[in-house]
């Protein structure tokens, strides 16, 4: 407390010193500079006048070559302490006609000199040089200024003493009481009233406010004590309620996650079902052709058997024709059965890939073409076409089944949504290498496109524009999850109304391990 009072006392003294001394010093410096300027101006004026008077007075002594006659005239002028020296020189005589001894303790900056000719009947008979200094005048002025400084210091000391007496009574004492009262409040001693000064000044009002604050704190603490008695029961009750609510939310979230997984699996199975339907339709043609050939061969065999049983002579041309028909039928039968076998093999491979998450190295072109075999039957019943522009030799170390699922969903999504209300359209699949570690795979159409609101929500689960007409809202969500979480790539949708849609995927040539992708998704 004593240190704080001393700090305040020193601050007040410093303020007084700065407030009084600085203006005084500034005024003294200004006054000294002004006095020096005026002294130099007066010196110049007096020098000119004195030089002119001496030049007129010395004309007769110089003409008579009488230094003794000139000496009284010069001494009458140089009695002024500002005179430094007087020199009279005749043009024809190198020795000075008259010269006063020059003072050595003169500041050159404060001296002025003037030279005038001494004339006699209009003819120059000598030169007069007078040197004067303003130093004596400035010395007196400095003494006066220092006296003013001394008087200012004495006045400052007197003001400081009276100020400190007033501060001790009106400021420092009440501040000490306020500080002690604040310490009492900080220590938690709210029961005792604060001892503060009485009055109507600012410090007294602060003390009264602190006393009101003490009373308000005392009432607030009492209210807190009363409330604390029931707080623990309320906390326990709220904790139980929150625990029950948290358990309910956890159960609901688990059920939602289970339902979502089941819906995703159902969508995968539905996609596989559509492939089955397409393959069945595609198998119908070669198997139908094979059945027709088998029936025709059976009819020819029955005809031959009837001719042999009836012992009817068989001509050579009939046998040759039968052999030719049999060869043609065998060829047709072999081609159709082989086509059916190829379809079954491709379907089996796609089904295995889509239901098995096996990883391996594969050629991107082969996976795309195998997937098109499964999807093209759905497009054959329409006027919509699929074209490819695939860069050769793009090898991936990834998941071919997951990639096939993505392509199937994108192509079926285009068939369902892109060409709604259009008589014809085209879907183009393209691929290219971006760099040594990344490839770009695009599926784009020239269909109806979509607006920005649909484009932003296209990957949201259960979002569909065909609700109730065959759309589940999970196809594109599955695509996004597979591309980002399984294949380790990115997918971007570029579309505008009436300008088609471009699904642009960037996939790494080496997919991340499944446990890394799952941790990233989590």
């Amino acid at each position: 407390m004593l240190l704080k009072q001393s700090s305040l006392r020193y601050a007040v003294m410093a303020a007084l010193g700065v407030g009084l001394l600085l203006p005084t010093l500034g005024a003294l410096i200004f006054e000294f500079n002004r006095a020096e300027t005026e002294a130099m101006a007066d010196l110049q004026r007096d020098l000119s006048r004195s030089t002119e008077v001496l030049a007129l007075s010395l004309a007769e002594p110089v003409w008579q070559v009488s230094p003794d006659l000139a000496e009284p005239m010069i001494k009458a002028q140089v009695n002024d302490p500002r005179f430094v020296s007087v020199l009279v020189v005749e043009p024809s005589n190198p020795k000075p006609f008259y010269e006063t001894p020059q003072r050595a303790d003169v500041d050159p900056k404060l001296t002025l000199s003037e030279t005038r000719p001494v004339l006699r009947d209009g003819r120059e008979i000598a030169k007069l040089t007078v040197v004067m200094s303003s130093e004596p005048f400035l010395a007196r002025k400095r003494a006066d200024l220092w006296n003013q400084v001394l008087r200012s210091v004495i006045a400052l000391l007197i003001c400081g003493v009276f100020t400190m007496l007033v501060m001790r009574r009106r400021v420092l004492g009440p501040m000490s009481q306020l500080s002690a009262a604040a310490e009492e409040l900080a220590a938690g001693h709210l029961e005792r009233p604060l001892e503060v000064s009485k009055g109507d000044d600012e410090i007294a009002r602060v003390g009264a406010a602190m006393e009101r604050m003490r009373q308000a704190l005392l009432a607030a603490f009492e209210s807190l004590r009363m409330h604390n008695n029931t707080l623990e029961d309320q906390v326990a009750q709220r904790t139980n309620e929150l625990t029950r609510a948290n358990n309910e939310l956890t159960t609901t979230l688990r059920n939602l996650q289970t339902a979502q997984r089941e819906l995703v699996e159902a969508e995968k199975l539905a996609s596989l079902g559509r492939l089955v339907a397409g393959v069945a339709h595609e198998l119908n043609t070669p198997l139908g052709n094979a059945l027709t050939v088998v029936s025709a061969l059976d009819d020819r065999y029955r005809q031959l058997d009837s001719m042999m049983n009836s012992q009817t002579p068989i001509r050579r041309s009939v046998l040759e024709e039968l052999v030719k028909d049999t060869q043609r039928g065998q060829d047709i039968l072999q081609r159709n059965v082989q086509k059916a076998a190829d379809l079954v093999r491709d379907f089996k491979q796609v089904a295995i890939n889509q239901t098995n998450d096996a990883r391996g190295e594969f050629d991107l072109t082969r996976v795309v073409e195998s997937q098109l075999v499964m999807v093209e039957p759905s497009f054959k019943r329409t006027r919509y076409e699929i074209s490819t522009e695939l860069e050769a030799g793009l090898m991936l170390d990834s998941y071919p089944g997951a990639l096939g699922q993505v392509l199937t969903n994108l192509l079926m999504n285009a068939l369902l949504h892109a060409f709604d209300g259009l008589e014809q359209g085209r879907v183009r699949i393209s691929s290219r290498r971006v760099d040594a570690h990344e490839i770009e795979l695009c599926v784009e159409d020239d269909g109806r496109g979509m607006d920005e609101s649909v484009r932003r929500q296209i990957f949201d689960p259960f979002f569909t524009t065909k609700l109730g007409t065959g759309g589940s809202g999970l196809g594109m969500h599955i695509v996004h999850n597979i591309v980002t979480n399984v294949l380790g790539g990115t997918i971007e949708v570029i579309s505008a109304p009436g300008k088609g849609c471009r699904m642009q995927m960037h996939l790494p040539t080496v997919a991340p391990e499944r446990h890394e992708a799952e941790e990233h998704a989590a």
Side-chain angles (χ1 to χ4, degrees):
M1 182 60 63
L2 180 61
L3 181 60
K4 294 180 180 178
Q5 292 181 4
S6 299
S7 300
L8 183 60
R9 185 181 296 111
Y10 293 151
V12 173
M13 291 296 295
L16 284 174
V18 171
L20 292 178
L21 282 180
L22 286 183
T24 302
L25 291 177
L28 292 177
I29 294 173
F30 174 75
E31 185 67 23
F32 180 77
N33 291 332
R34 188 171 65 84
E36 183 176 356
T37 303
E38 292 179 353
M40 295 302 291
D42 293 343
L43 182 66
Q44 181 65 52
R45 186 175 60 253
D46 294 344
L47 176 63
S48 298
R49 186 173 62 250
S50 298
T51 304
E52 183 180 1
V53 171
L54 281 175
L56 294 174
S57 302
L58 292 175
E60 187 65 26
V62 172
W63 177 257
Q64 297 179 8
V65 192
S66 176
D68 295 335
L69 183 61
E71 184 175 359
M73 299 179 183
I74 294 175
K75 286 185 176 181
Q77 293 290 333
V78 300
N79 285 335
D80 190 339
R82 294 180 297 173
F83 276 87
V84 176
S85 66
V86 177
L87 176 64
V88 180
V89 180
E90 294 177 301
S92 60
N93 189 0
K95 184 179 179 180
F97 173 77
Y98 187 86
E99 182 179 14
T100 61
Q102 186 172 357
R103 288 156 46 191
D105 57 344
V106 178
D107 187 357
K109 296 180 181 180
L110 301 177
T111 60
L112 295 175
S113 65
E114 186 172 339
T115 301
R116 287 202 179 197
V118 179
L119 303 177
R120 169 81 176 186
D121 297 331
R123 184 167 60 89
E124 180 179 339
I125 60 175
K127 283 188 178 296
L128 170 65
T129 302
V130 179
V131 180
M132 297 181 69
S133 174
S134 63
E135 188 171 355
F137 175 79
L138 292 178
R140 292 195 304 272
K141 194 66 176 177
R142 288 193 194 96
D144 293 341
L145 292 177
W146 282 113
N147 290 333
Q148 292 183 20
V149 171
L150 181 61
R151 289 194 295 271
S152 298
V153 171
I154 294 173
L156 175 63
L157 292 176
I158 295 173
C159 291
V161 171
F162 279 105
T163 302
M164 296 313 306
L165 291 176
V166 173
M167 284 191 60
R168 184 177 182 82
R169 181 176 180 83
R170 302 293 296 176
V171 178
L172 296 179
M175 287 291 292
S176 299
Q177 292 180 349
L178 281 179
S179 180
E183 293 291 341
E184 289 288 327
L185 289 178
H189 301 154
L190 302 178
E191 295 79 9
R192 295 192 299 269
L194 300 180
E195 296 180 0
V196 294
S197 61
K198 308 297 181 181
D200 294 331
D201 57 3
E202 289 79 2
I203 297 179
R205 288 196 290 271
V206 172
M210 290 179 65
E211 173 62 20
R212 291 193 298 270
M213 181 177 67
R214 181 193 69 82
Q215 296 174 1
L217 287 174
L218 190 62
F221 285 148
E222 184 64 27
S223 176
L224 285 176
R225 291 191 194 97
M226 296 177 61
H227 183 68
N228 190 47
N229 296 330
T230 59
L231 185 58
E232 292 183 359
D233 295 337
Q234 294 178 359
V235 169
Q237 181 182 357
R238 296 290 176 83
T239 302
N240 292 333
E241 293 176 356
L242 288 175
T243 301
R244 288 195 301 271
N246 187 50
N247 293 335
E248 292 176 358
L249 287 175
T250 302
T251 303
T252 303
L253 179 59
R254 190 179 298 112
N255 293 336
L256 286 174
Q257 291 174 344
T258 302
Q260 185 174 2
R261 285 195 299 271
E262 292 175 352
L263 287 172
V264 170
E265 293 300 325
E267 179 64 20
K268 290 183 178 179
L269 293 176
S271 176
L272 192 58
R274 288 192 292 270
L275 290 180
V276 171
V279 169
H281 180 270
E282 199 68 14
L283 284 173
N284 186 57
T285 299
L287 292 180
N289 293 338
L291 183 60
T292 301
V293 171
V294 169
S295 298
L297 290 176
D298 184 63
D299 289 342
R300 297 304 300 272
Y301 171 75
R302 290 178 184 277
Q303 182 181 1
L304 178 61
D305 184 60
S306 176
M307 292 175 65
M308 292 179 64
N309 289 334
S310 63
Q311 297 182 356
T312 302
I314 302 175
R315 294 190 300 272
R316 180 181 181 86
S317 60
V318 174
L319 288 175
E320 290 178 351
E321 183 180 357
L322 178 61
V323 170
K324 291 180 181 179
D325 290 343
T326 302
Q327 289 177 345
R328 285 198 301 270
Q330 181 183 0
D331 182 60
I332 294 172
L333 184 62
Q334 182 178 1
R335 282 190 281 107
N336 281 276
V337 171
Q338 184 63 45
K339 183 176 181 181
D342 292 341
L343 286 172
V344 171
R345 185 187 66 250
D346 292 341
F347 170 72
K348 180 180 178 182
Q349 184 62 42
V350 171
I352 290 174
N353 288 341
Q354 292 194 8
T355 55
N356 184 13
D357 291 337
R359 178 192 182 120
E361 292 189 4
F362 59 90
D363 188 343
L364 178 63
T365 301
R366 290 178 61 87
V367 171
V368 173
E369 291 176 348
S370 298
Q371 206 65 33
L372 289 180
V373 172
M374 302 295 103
V375 177
E376 281 181 342
S378 299
F379 278 78
K380 282 186 176 180
R381 297 190 296 269
T382 67
R383 295 183 179 180
Y384 313 132
E385 300 178 356
I386 300 178
S387 63
T388 59
E389 188 177 329
L390 306 173
E391 182 177 334
L394 295 181
M395 299 299 297
L396 300 181
D397 181 5
S398 189
Y399 301 91
L403 181 57
Q405 178 73 37
V406 168
L407 288 172
T408 299
N409 284 16
L410 291 178
L411 292 171
M412 297 307 296
N413 187 74
L415 181 62
L416 181 63
H417 298 280
F419 305 116
D420 187 16
L422 300 180
E423 295 183 358
Q424 59 184 6
R426 179 183 295 273
V427 179
R428 187 173 73 94
I429 304 175
S430 61
S431 65
R432 69 179 182 89
R433 183 182 298 278
V434 178
D435 53 40
H437 306 288
E438 185 178 74
I439 63 101
E440 180 184 270
L441 179 62
C442 295
V443 178
E444 56 183 316
D445 61 71
D446 55 359
R448 298 169 59 247
M450 65 186 79
D451 57 28
E452 183 64 19
S453 62
V454 175
R455 192 193 68 81
R456 287 198 305 267
Q457 304 178 75
I458 192 170
F459 295 125
D460 293 348
F462 310 111
F463 174 77
T464 178
T465 58
K466 296 285 187 178
L467 186 62
T469 59
S472 65
L474 288 174
M476 295 303 295
H477 177 64
I478 294 174
V479 166
H480 184 269
N481 281 342
I482 293 176
V483 171
T484 57
N485 298 332
V486 178
L487 303 179
T490 60
I491 181 169
E492 181 183 4
V493 181
I494 304 172
S495 181
K499 295 185 178 180
C501 179
R502 177 183 176 89
M503 302 290 180
Q504 182 171 292
M505 293 171 282
H506 285 262
L507 304 176
T509 55
V510 179
E513 295 295 334
R514 287 300 297 270
H515 66 275
E516 296 179 1
E518 290 171 359
E519 290 176 359
H520 177 71

